[in-house]
Amino acid sequence: MKIICVGRNYAEHAKELGNAIPENPVLFLKPDTALLKSGEAFYHPDFSQDVHHEAELVLKIGKMGKRIQEKFALGYISEITLGIDFTARDIQAEQKKKGLPWEIAKAFDGSAPIGDFIPFAPETDYNFFLLKNGDTVQEGNPSMMLFNFAQLISYISGYFTLKTGDLIYTGTPAGVGPVKMGDVLEGFLNGKKVLHTEVK
Ligand code: ZN
């Protein structure tokens, strides 16, 4: 399986990082070694002094498809949950400055905590929020996205064949911030806790 991530998919988050609003979805990938199941600890990497949480809705692909039309795209989603796209912001800033790829800042071990999945229902609204040590630090909803689920799947599948079990991290709303050892992150989707990880 592969993990496809979308960057800058919420206007307020693009703004907080000083990035322009993109014309097309910004894509990058993570390997399966980035995944961290809910309940597992996140070990803060020693190569970064500024790892940020990015809470994101995550879609699981239920059947293979390529060049999927928007009108059929939602039928390719089997399940949904909340995940975190951990980002070594200091490393990413250096890479961006040099015009180099982001992988070492984005795709390292444990950089993709993933919550417990629930079945996807196209007509459902998916509200989510992230607690850090009990305080709400991020909240979002698909209506705040620049590119919606169908547009993302259509665009992504024009470049990468989607296969059963692939995951799409759909971008983060405003409110990203650093984590440190001892922090507890809890993710909620439509009021239900689906994700828990402690930083060690
Ligand atoms: Zn992200």
Side-chain angles (χ1 to χ4, degrees):
M1 56 80 66
K2 57 188 172 293
I3 305 165
I4 298 153
C5 302
V6 181
R8 303 175 193 171
N9 199 25
Y10 290 77
E12 289 301 312
H13 171 62
K15 214 187 286 176
E16 74 180 344
L17 293 187
N19 292 317
I21 303 298
E23 279 172 45
N24 288 306
V26 175
L27 304 181
F28 58 94
L29 282 85
K30 298 195 187 214
D32 58 3
T33 43
L35 282 180
L36 199 66
K37 275 199 225 113
S38 180
E40 290 180 336
F42 170 68
Y43 289 91
H44 196 299
D46 55 12
F47 53 76
S48 171
Q49 283 12 279
D50 196 26
V51 172
H52 280 199
H53 55 77
E54 295 191 356
E56 316 200 351
L57 289 171
V58 181
L59 308 175
K60 188 189 273 185
I61 295 300
K63 59 180 178 180
M64 191 192 278
K66 58 168 75 182
R67 294 193 292 277
I68 299 162
Q69 292 178 49
E70 276 180 34
K71 61 182 172 183
F72 301 125
L74 297 183
Y76 286 78
I77 305 169
S78 60
E79 295 176 297
I80 186 168
T81 191
L82 192 67
I84 298 174
D85 165 24
F86 273 130
T87 303
R89 197 69 74 201
D90 45 358
I91 310 283
Q92 187 193 32
E94 286 171 27
Q95 296 297 97
K96 279 162 82 172
K97 207 170 5 171
K98 295 180 195 158
L100 293 172
W102 296 354
E103 273 78 359
I104 59 168
K106 282 282 198 181
F108 52 86
D109 289 352
S111 63
I114 186 79
D116 301 323
F117 280 94
I118 58 173
F120 178 72
E123 66 283 359
T124 302
D125 201 18
Y126 289 101
N127 293 293
F128 64 94
F129 59 91
L130 181 73
L131 300 184
K132 183 168 88 170
N133 305 326
D135 296 326
T136 303
V137 284
Q138 292 192 272
E139 42 193 336
N141 179 287
S143 69
M144 297 157 65
M145 292 179 166
L146 297 170
F147 303 98
N148 63 31
F149 293 158
Q151 290 168 320
L152 290 177
I153 285 174
S154 179
Y155 183 80
I156 290 167
S157 68
Y159 294 88
F160 311 108
T161 296
L162 291 173
K163 295 171 77 173
T164 304
D166 285 350
L167 301 178
I168 301 175
Y169 281 63
T170 59
T172 197
V176 302
V179 296
K180 59 178 190 324
M181 275 188 241
D183 282 348
V184 174
L185 298 172
E186 298 167 282
F188 290 76
L189 182 55
N190 284 352
K192 181 177 177 273
K193 183 171 168 179
V194 292
L195 176 66
H196 181 106
T197 189
E198 185 178 343
V199 182
K200 290 197 170 170

